[in-house]
Amino acid sequence: MFVAIMGYGTVGSGVAQVIADNNENIAKKSAQDIFDVKYILDLRDFPGDVNENKMIKDFNIILNDPQIQVVVETMGGLHPAYEFVSSCLLAGKSVVTSNKELVAAKGDELLKIAREKNVNFFFEASVGGGIPIIRPISQCLAANKISEIAGILNGTTNFILTMMIDKNMSFEDALKLAQDNGYAEKDPTADVEGFDACRKICILASLCFGKHVYPDEVHTEGITKISLKDVEYVKSLGGVIKLIGRAKKLSDDKISAIVSPAVVKNGSQLASVSDVFNAILVRGDAVGDTVFYGKGAGKLPTASAVVADIMDCAAHLDKRKEFGWESGTKNYVADYNELETVMYVRAETQNKAEAEKDINSAFENAVFADTASSDEIVFITDCEKESELNRKLDNIGSISVLSKIRVVDY
Ligand code: HSE
C-alpha cells in the first residue's frame, strides 16, 4: 500500500519517520507486502532531507494517482486542508488526519462524505496526541452510555501551568520553553486561549454523545489571566489549577460543554497530571470512570496515533468501519451561565472583616484561604447556578473581584 502525506511539519515528518523506522512491523501487522510513503505534499523545499525525492507541490498528483488509497493530512488549519480532504474522500480515498481544527469544524460533513463513498475518515491523533482515546471510546466503550467526559487536553498549557506551580516560573518563560520543546501550535494563541482544548472537547463530545458540537457553541477561557498569586492560593487550599475541557449529557437533546481553567483538588486523578501530559476521564454507565493518560503533544507520540490510523485504513480498504456522528442541532449546547458550579474567588477589599461577614451571608458554606495581604480575600463559594453566583458576587459591596476560577470535582 502506498500513502501520501500532506504537510511535512512536525507531525507529517514524524509520520514519515515512524513508517520508515518500523516499516517491517507495520507492514506485517497491517497485512501489506509494501507499506510506503509515495508522496509528501508541501509548498516548502527540504534540500538534503531524507525524503526529498518524495516531495511534491501539486495536490492533483495525489488525487489522480489510483495507487494512493490512503491520504494523511497533517497540514493543520482549515484551508486548504478542508478542500483537500473532502476531494480525497470524494475520490474514494480514505483519509487520516491529526487536524483537530478541521475535525472540530467540519467533522460531521467529512464523515458524511466518507460514509457515502464507503471509505474511512480517521482522526485518532486529533485528541490527546499519542493517547488512544477516539478508538477506545468508539470501540472498547461502545457498549456504554457515556454521561460525562473531562480532561486536560492541551499539553502546552499543562506544561506552562506545571512550570508555574512547581517552579514559580513566569507565564512568558514557561510558554517560551513549551515552544522550544515543539509542543505549542504555530500560533500559541490557540493553546493559551483554550481554542485548541475547545476543538478537542468538541470532537470528544461529538463522538460520545452522537451529535456534532461546533467550537463556537463552547464557552472557552484560556490561562492567560492566571497569576502566580492564584496558583499559590489554590495550592494553600489543597488544589492545583488545570485547563479543563469538559462535556456532560444533560438530556437526550441537551449537553453542557466548556473549556476553562479549573481548580482540581489534590488526590483527583487529574491533579497529578503534569508537564506535557494529557489525561481524559470518560464516565460510562457500565464501565464507571476510566482515565486515559499519556503524551498529548510532540512529533513521535502524535505520529504514533496517525500511523495506527493508516494501518486501520489498510485493514479496511474494502469495507469502511462504522464510525462517526450526526450534524449538530440548534440549542444543543446549554448556556454555561445556567449550569451549577463552585467558584474560587480572589477579591480586593478595604475592610476584610466586613468582607468576610458579607461573603458568609451570601454563601452559607464559604471556605476562606489564609491571605498574608490585608487588602485581599480569597474564598471558595457554594455550588450555585453561575448566573446566580455572579449576581451575588456583584452585590457584595465590600469586595471587588480580581479573579474567579471554577472548581471541579473529578
Ligand atoms: N499544541 C497542542 C498541545 C499540540 O499543546 O496539546 C497537540 O494537539
Side-chain angles (χ1 to χ4, degrees), residues 230-246:
D230 290 319
V231 165
E232 285 309 313
Y233 283 135
V234 168
K235 232 188 237 181
S236 78
L237 286 161
V240 282
I241 302 173
K242 296 283 176 192
L243 183 69
I244 304 283
R246 49 199 167 111

Side-chain angles (χ1 to χ4, degrees), residues 2 31 49 74 81 97 118 123 203 214 246 261 310 337 361 386 397:
F2 289 98
D49 188 276
T74 46
T97 182
N118 199 30
F123 37 85
I203 297 169
Y214 304 95
R246 49 199 167 111
I310 306 172
N337 283 300
S361 63
E386 190 156 333

